Amino acid sequence: ARIPRFIHRGYFWRSLAFVAYMFSSFWVAMRERHVDLVMGTSPSLFQATSAAFVAFFRRKPFLLEVRDLWPDFAIEMGILKSRFFIMAARMVESFIYWRADHILVNSPAYVDYMINRGINPAKVSLIPNGVDPTMFDMQSDGKRIRTELGWEDKFIVSYTGAIGQANDIATIVRAADRLKSDPQIRFLIMGGGNAVDEIKRSIVEKQLTNILIPGSRPKSEMSDVFGASDVCVATLLNIPMFKTVYPNKVFDYMGAGKPIALGIDGVIRDVVEASDCGRFFEPGNDEQLAEVILWMKNNFEEARQMGIRGREYVSRHFNRHSHAVEFLKLAQSMVKDKSRSN
């Protein structure tokens, strides 16, 4: 189904869409004839609440997948400000944690968060974000993308993924401004989101000709996009909660064998430094980002080896094939445990 455009107008419209989905998903799930396990995911809390009630009424085990820590992220980003709504969100969060038979998290920092909330460690499992390395063609040189952009001989710095408030694309734009005098460096921002128009206005105001936002591409073309990239950038706002995340894009960059300029501190920095697949810069610090990009351009072969090390590391430690096996075992054990208890 296509996502209605109006949900990108603001958080009110997105919340309205989530509420509508909560009721419609409950109705559809209650009509499903055969169910062994009910799985909900957060965000959003609305969807997870729907799953919790479906599991209760159908007397089935409820597996809660926590992909982001809401409402904490919304509070720190200033999206959720009202004391009343913060209290309400906390109550819903506590309810779905209590109601879940098991909680699945994708970051080691989330395990600590759950334990600090008083949840039994035996009720929490970690299956981290990862990547399917076979999705990326290591032989692709990205020639088609480079020709399309007219950047055949350029050093391309890429960002792929959501372009929203949390993603801090403004830091990349400021770094592009710092490096605009270098005729070889070009910035490619590939994706979409509610901050696209704001970022495009900033590019026009700064009169930058070394950065493009051509829109989103289907997953099937991303291997060529990565093939055309010399370095990939990952950024998030500089707030404490973002130190807990395992962003999917970083694992994609690693799977594609690309060196990473990482502007996210915390647990994902540990992964990048353990694999020696990139360089860290302080979140929000465009001067440091520009320095990392220049280093990678001037040390091209060393940067290329970083990308190779990243692919090898993620293939061993964050491979979705092994994660799928772990998830299947967890789901099957929950169904068996519920059957025995009945």
Side-chain angles (χ1 to χ4, degrees):
R2 296 181 64 183
I3 299 174
R5 290 186 177 182
F6 71 82
I7 72 168
H8 295 299
R9 293 178 187 170
Y11 293 107
F12 170 79
W13 291 101
R14 290 189 67 185
S15 298
L16 193 63
F18 285 141
V19 170
Y21 179 79
M22 178 176 67
F23 288 107
S24 62
S25 62
F26 177 83
W27 174 250
V28 171
M30 290 301 293
R31 296 178 65 189
E32 184 66 30
R33 298 182 67 178
H34 183 76
V35 175
D36 293 307
L37 173 73
V38 178
M39 182 174 178
T41 186
S42 173
S44 71
L45 295 178
F46 299 104
Q47 192 278 341
T49 301
S50 172
F53 279 108
V54 170
F56 173 77
F57 285 112
R58 301 206 62 158
R59 298 183 180 180
K60 299 297 180 181
F62 172 35
L63 173 60
L64 174 65
E65 178 197 31
V66 177
R67 294 181 292 114
D68 286 322
L69 294 177
W70 285 74
D72 294 75
F73 286 177
I75 294 169
E76 286 202 358
M77 289 172 60
I79 298 169
L80 200 58
K81 300 177 181 179
S82 164
R83 289 187 180 181
F84 172 79
F85 286 116
I86 289 173
M87 182 180 67
R90 289 291 188 201
M91 291 176 63
V92 173
E93 180 193 26
S94 296
F95 167 74
I96 60 176
Y97 290 166
W98 167 78
R99 184 66 189 83
D101 293 288
H102 203 84
I103 299 173
L104 175 63
V105 298
N106 61 20
S107 165
Y110 293 1
V111 176
D112 296 335
Y113 177 88
M114 295 298 166
I115 294 173
N116 291 335
R117 290 293 302 268
I119 295 171
N120 185 346
K123 186 177 174 176
V124 183
S125 292
L126 168 65
I127 300 180
N129 283 342
V131 69
D132 177 2
T134 63
M135 290 175 56
F136 305 100
D137 179 9
M138 294 299 291
Q139 304 306 313
S140 174
D141 59 4
K143 184 177 180 180
R144 183 178 64 83
I145 298 295
R146 285 177 169 271
T147 300
E148 178 184 322
L149 298 174
W151 291 353
E152 290 88 344
D153 60 344
K154 303 302 182 183
F155 183 86
I156 299 179
V157 181
S158 295
Y159 170 93
T160 65
I163 304 175
Q165 178 184 347
N167 305 107
D168 194 26
I169 308 302
T171 294
I172 302 177
V173 174
R174 294 195 304 272
D177 191 27
R178 287 181 177 274
L179 297 172
K180 62 185 176 184
S181 61
D182 190 317
Q184 290 300 113
I185 298 176
R186 293 291 182 271
F187 289 78
L188 178 64
I189 311 297
M190 188 72 74
N194 57 20
V196 169
D197 291 341
E198 178 184 348
I199 295 300
K200 286 184 175 179
R201 283 195 297 270
S202 177
I203 292 171
V204 172
E205 289 170 1
K206 295 178 184 296
Q207 299 180 336
L208 299 179
T209 58
N210 61 343
I211 184 168
L212 285 179
I213 306 181
S216 301
R217 293 291 179 101
K219 200 77 172 178
S220 59
E221 295 186 23
M222 290 310 296
S223 189
D224 285 340
V225 172
F226 288 127
S229 305
D230 294 300
V231 56
C232 291
V233 182
T235 53
L236 284 174
L237 291 175
N238 191 14
I239 62 176
M241 285 307 300
F242 283 154
K243 292 182 179 181
T244 66
V245 302
Y246 264 0
N248 273 319
K249 66 169 55 62
V250 175
F251 294 109
D252 285 345
Y253 295 165
M254 294 174 73
K258 294 299 169 180
I260 300 168
L262 181 70
I264 308 168
D265 207 348
V267 291
I268 194 61
R269 179 182 179 182
D270 294 339
V271 172
V272 169
E273 292 184 345
S275 59
D276 191 17
C277 70
R279 285 201 161 189
F280 172 78
F281 66 93
E282 181 182 329
N285 192 322
D286 53 281
E287 182 178 4
Q288 288 185 10
L289 172 55
E291 290 172 355
V292 169
I293 291 168
L294 282 175
W295 183 90
M296 290 190 174
K297 179 197 169 194
N298 295 330
N299 298 271
F300 186 81
E301 181 55 30
E302 193 171 344
R304 192 180 72 85
Q305 290 300 320
M306 282 182 169
I308 293 172
R309 289 194 293 269
R311 180 176 170 86
E312 292 173 349
Y313 189 90
V314 82
S315 297
R316 289 196 308 270
H317 300 286
F318 295 93
N319 196 309
R320 281 184 184 165
H321 293 290
S322 58
H323 291 175
V325 173
E326 292 180 50
F327 175 79
L328 182 60
K329 289 180 179 178
L330 173 61
Q332 289 174 334
S333 68
M334 289 183 66
V335 173
K336 289 179 182 178
D337 289 346
K338 190 70 172 182
S339 298
R340 283 196 293 266
S341 65
N342 290 339

